[in-house]
Amino acid sequence: MGTKAKSKTGVAKAAVARKSAPKRAAGAYKFEAAAETMPRAEIARLQLRRLKASIKNAYDHVPLHRQRMKALGFEPGDLKRLEDLGGLPFTLKTDLRDHYPFGLFARPRAELVRLHASSGTTGKPTVVGYTAKDIATWAGLMARSMACAGGRPGDVIHNAYGYGLFTGGLGAHYGAERLGATVVPMSGGSTERQIVLINDFGARVLCATPSYALAIAEVAEKEGVDLRKSKLEIGIFGAEPWSEAMRREVEARLGLKAVDIYGLSEIMGPGVACECVEGQAGLHGWEDHFLFEVIDPDTGKSLKEGESGELVITTLTKEALPMIRYRTRDITRLTTERCVCGRTHLRIKRITGRNDDMLIIRGVNVYPSQIEAVLVGLPDVAPHYQLVVERKGSMDHLTVEVEIMPNVVPTNELRRVVAESVRHHIKSIIGVTADVLVKEPGEIPRSMGKAVRVRDLRPKLA
Ligand code: DLL
């Protein structure tokens, strides 16, 4: 399959590969060995020093944080150990909305060089802001993430994350430039054109949501273009939950290594954490800039390493929008186990879903990514799906909409067999009873960004 040289390197070998990469102008990204392989005790010392400054920034410049600390009788100087952070209250998405648009900023609006915003389903958008230094830090962390994912100076990076108020497009763009790559600022959409340019410009790295990467693969296959023969080697995919099964699917269909990247606008944007191409086993959270905790979402109590719960993040270096114990709603586990790549920063295991995505179907908790893991790989079932939740009487009812593969003849018998197989696997693996609706190839909407996995038709509470 083509001539792609796919390396399974450790950090040392990766450094050699970087040496042989094309010559770039001064300023191209260099592996930050001192930061990325820092002994954990040293990371903790750095974190404490930076945490003190970040708490002071929040206290001095953001009335909400100051009021909350004062209400606890807490002064920034009281923070002596990292553990003392656990005594401070959480910050929630609603805090940003309640102080819309600029109320949580620690710098005057005139000192900000950029705003991003996410449109919520209800009410006002969440607005985030950056100083020039924040943008430089973000670009640096995105470059670090891309290098960690296997990107190199000199690569052509095809960026299909959406440009605009969403942090994906510009976040990846600045990171790619900082890396010393040639970035193609494609944004989402015009899928046929994306395929032409991936081939013509010789992209080695594709940045997209995993669902859009799959949509690109699908359109290419339909057009008879084999992207496995392209120069693509690395996919940097994130911004939405996806499963291991989906990773294998996109890897096989695009002929690349798919690496998970995580981030959220409230904390920075993409590049808060990223998997390494060597391990593909959890996302290195950049602990020199963020402090990660996992809590029990019901009690707010901190959980031990390895226990699954809600990820909480505190920023250590943000100027414009310092965040103290931000509740991400994302469900995951942390591990400080040594990684094969040699990096010492902890790993955030694959995000299984968000608190608010969780469906409770007759008492069983279900995340869309669990259904995805069941569907992807079942014979004749395409990896596109939507979950429809309705209220029937007093019960929540789940219908799973799936598509059959475009290359099979859709007889009624085949539809019946597919529906029965999907129903059976969901029941036996996840434990919920679902109706299954088998749709025509292409009938389930494809996304250019974050896929809509759930249609919740339950009556809204007043
Ligand atoms: O999605 C930033 C981003 C852009 C990350 C591009 C990665 C790549 P928001 O729009 O603020 O920011 O959405 C953040 O998306 O809290 C998670 O629920 C979800 N999310 C982001 N990355 C992942 C991932 C961007 N790798 C929200 N796995 C987060 C699962 C993810 N969920």
Side-chain angles (χ1 to χ4, degrees), residues 19-36:
K19 267 191 202 155
S20 63
K23 266 215 156 79
R24 303 290 302 177
Y29 179 83
K30 290 198 192 66
F31 175 57
E32 300 173 277
E36 292 180 58

Side-chain angles (χ1 to χ4, degrees), residues 161 166-168 238-241 260-266 269-270 328 330 351 354 450:
Y161 285 120
F166 173 52
T167 51
E240 63 185 6
D260 196 3
I261 185 163
Y262 172 79
L264 62 166
S265 16
E266 297 89 323
T328 64
D330 294 321
I351 311 269
R354 292 177 59 79
K450 296 178 193 254

Side-chain angles (χ1 to χ4, degrees), residues 24-30 32 135-144 146 153 171-181 183:
R24 303 290 302 177
Y29 179 83
K30 290 198 192 66
E32 300 173 277
I135 294 286
T137 307
W138 183 14
L141 287 179
M142 234 354 244
R144 184 197 283 182
M146 287 174 151
H173 185 105
Y174 274 58
E177 286 191 352
R178 177 76 187 84
L179 180 68
V183 58

Side-chain angles (χ1 to χ4, degrees), residues 234-248:
I234 306 281
I236 306 183
F237 301 148
E240 63 185 6
W242 53 312
S243 58
E244 263 322 294
M246 184 66 94
R247 184 198 318 255
R248 286 192 294 274

Side-chain angles (χ1 to χ4, degrees), residues 7-20 152 278 341:
S7 60
K8 292 193 184 68
T9 54
V11 163
K13 273 198 188 164
V16 173
R18 263 183 297 275
K19 267 191 202 155
S20 63
R152 301 190 295 241
E278 297 89 354
C341 73

Side-chain angles (χ1 to χ4, degrees), residues 153-220:
D155 281 347
V156 173
I157 298 190
H158 183 100
N159 184 15
Y161 285 120
Y163 281 67
L165 289 175
F166 173 52
T167 51
L170 284 171
H173 185 105
Y174 274 58
E177 286 191 352
R178 177 76 187 84
L179 180 68
T182 309
V183 58
V184 182
M186 190 66 207
S187 200
S190 315
T191 310
E192 289 82 1
R193 193 141 178 259
Q194 305 247 6
I195 294 162
V196 172
L197 297 189
I198 287 172
N199 267 326
D200 290 357
F201 295 171
R204 180 173 173 266
V205 178
L206 171 65
C207 297
T209 59
S211 59
Y212 190 52
L214 193 63
I216 293 176
E218 189 184 38
V219 172

